[in-house]
Amino acid sequence: MFPSAPLLQLIFVSLLAHSALAGARITTSLYALSLHASEFTIGTLIALFALFPMLLAVSVGRVIDRIGIVRPMLAGCAAIAVGCAMPSLIGGLPVLYFATILIGTGFMVVQVAAQHTVGAVSASEQRASNFSWLALGFSISGFCGPVIAGLMIDHAHFNIAYLTFCMIALSALALTAYGRLCRFHPAAHEQRADSGSAMQLLRDKELRRIYVVGTLLASAWDLFTFVLPIHGSHLGFSASTIGLILGCFSAATFVVRLGMPWIARRYSEWHVLTVALMLAVACYALFPLMRQPAAMMGVAAMLGAAVGSSQPNMLALLHHAAPSGRGAEAVGVRITIGNACQVVLPLAFGGAGAALGLPAVFWAMSAMIGAGVPSAWHKAFRR
């Protein structure tokens, strides 16, 4: 079923904000490489996109549960715009450290608000469909951001790329300020349960399983966007080629999410997540063996199909399992865990890549994702 006009507007704002984030991430990696930064330095910069989101996501979720989404989303879009504007006006490596913090934190606010609102305002029979629409929006932005970044870098300059993403973030800000998002009052739909710490959510066995599997698949997505620019540069690929490989990845997420209503009628959420984990394991095992752009695009598309299928299913499971009145907080806990991995993994794998080479990074990630397969398999196929 086609979502309502206010919900479409929320999805479009999320799409714009994510385009700015996705484009800024690839631009930051390639800009740092052009300044002869090491893999560890690039890993540090990518980790900073997730540092404050890791620390603040639960608190932001609680605020959204209490006051609604409009004011937090305005602040988030403004932070993304300022973060993208800074490198376009001030050159050099130091400014990137501040810019990445602003961009990553601003997008986290938009992400928590959007994911919670879609679940809270949707009827139970429409929730999976609406989450699929939101996921489709992120697939479009995940394609557009890297491709725009590659084209801007190759045909203009890094500062023009950052300025472009600043204008995209300002468009999201304007749409939030003057659109229909004020009609959403998701907090009013639920009576808040007894307040408690985030650890109470983590002690719930079902939520914990969802968080672990979701985090593994989200890490597979995030590490790919970190490692691929470095790997592609080492292989001699241009910025446009790297952007196209990332675009193939995102195009595959779009296609699989377009078919998700058909898949959901035939397979449970845990069936889909189990297959997604196994495909991701295979892709990371294959990446070091791929030396040509076309082969890299094919494996990237397979990984995109795997992780793209996971998000709407995981969000539906999470919203169903979350305690009443703590939906945005539960989303915030998920984003905190995911961003903790985004902080740790680029630093760890950046150091490992410098010391051991990138094949070791790919194969280590394959093994880590594989550790989650037994838990998901048990949930999908138990009697």
Side-chain angles (χ1 to χ4, degrees), residues 249-269:
F249 170 87
S250 296
T253 69
F254 178 85
V255 171
V256 75
R257 287 167 176 177
L258 200 61
M260 192 52 61
W262 181 89
I263 295 171
R265 288 194 295 268
R266 289 158 177 80
Y267 303 99
S268 73
E269 289 92 345

Side-chain angles (χ1 to χ4, degrees), residues 97-121:
Y97 290 93
F98 298 100
T100 53
I101 291 172
L102 282 173
I103 296 167
T105 305
F107 176 72
M108 175 271 294
V109 176
V110 176
Q111 183 182 22
V112 172
Q115 291 183 355
H116 167 58
T117 302
V118 170
V121 304

